[in-house]
Amino acid sequence: MDPIMLTKEIILEALKPIKDPEIHIGIVDLGLIYDVIVKENNDVEVKMTLTSPACPIGPELVGAVELMVKQLEGAGEVDVEVVWEPPYDPHTMASDYAKDELGIW
């Protein structure tokens, strides 16, 4: 049986249920996931940011992302890196749904 190959799309779909507990909108819709890289051996690198550097629930969100990806069938090692460049801007990074929920229009 062939091993399952993960894709960026599969991982982003798996991360959609993770919500920012203060804003109650998913981190994918908020645009907090900057990149997902899946290597040939299904090791995964996730580059994400937070709504602010002082975000008190940052470690919880990072842990939730790591756990969710690790639970995917076939996932190898998972590395979640918090980055600050480019700076987070919901006006350009959030989905239309999140902008509507946040009242950004």
Side-chain angles (χ1 to χ4, degrees):
M1 188 156 110
D2 290 333
I4 293 173
M5 254 331 268
L6 293 177
T7 64
K8 180 177 182 174
E9 293 73 23
I10 290 170
I11 293 168
L12 287 173
E13 192 63 34
L15 296 177
K16 281 186 176 182
I18 300 174
K19 294 185 184 244
D20 181 301
E22 295 177 325
I23 303 173
H24 306 292
I25 298 173
I27 61 172
V28 172
D29 278 320
L30 285 171
L32 298 179
I33 304 297
Y34 281 2
D35 199 10
V36 175
I37 300 162
V38 181
K39 299 180 180 176
E40 283 185 33
N41 60 355
N42 273 353
D43 285 354
V44 178
E45 292 178 14
V46 178
K47 293 190 187 301
M48 67 177 290
T49 196
L50 303 170
T51 54
S52 79
C55 180
I57 47 88
E60 291 175 42
L61 288 177
V62 170
V65 168
E66 183 177 0
L67 182 62
M68 189 67 78
V69 176
K70 281 183 176 179
Q71 290 177 347
L72 292 173
E73 188 175 346
E77 294 294 316
V78 178
D79 179 42
V80 180
E81 180 184 0
V82 176
V83 297
W84 302 109
E85 291 296 325
Y88 177 68
D89 180 4
H91 292 90
T92 59
M93 297 173 171
S95 71
D96 288 346
Y97 164 77
K99 288 178 189 175
D100 190 44
E101 291 291 308
L102 294 169
I104 301 174
W105 289 106

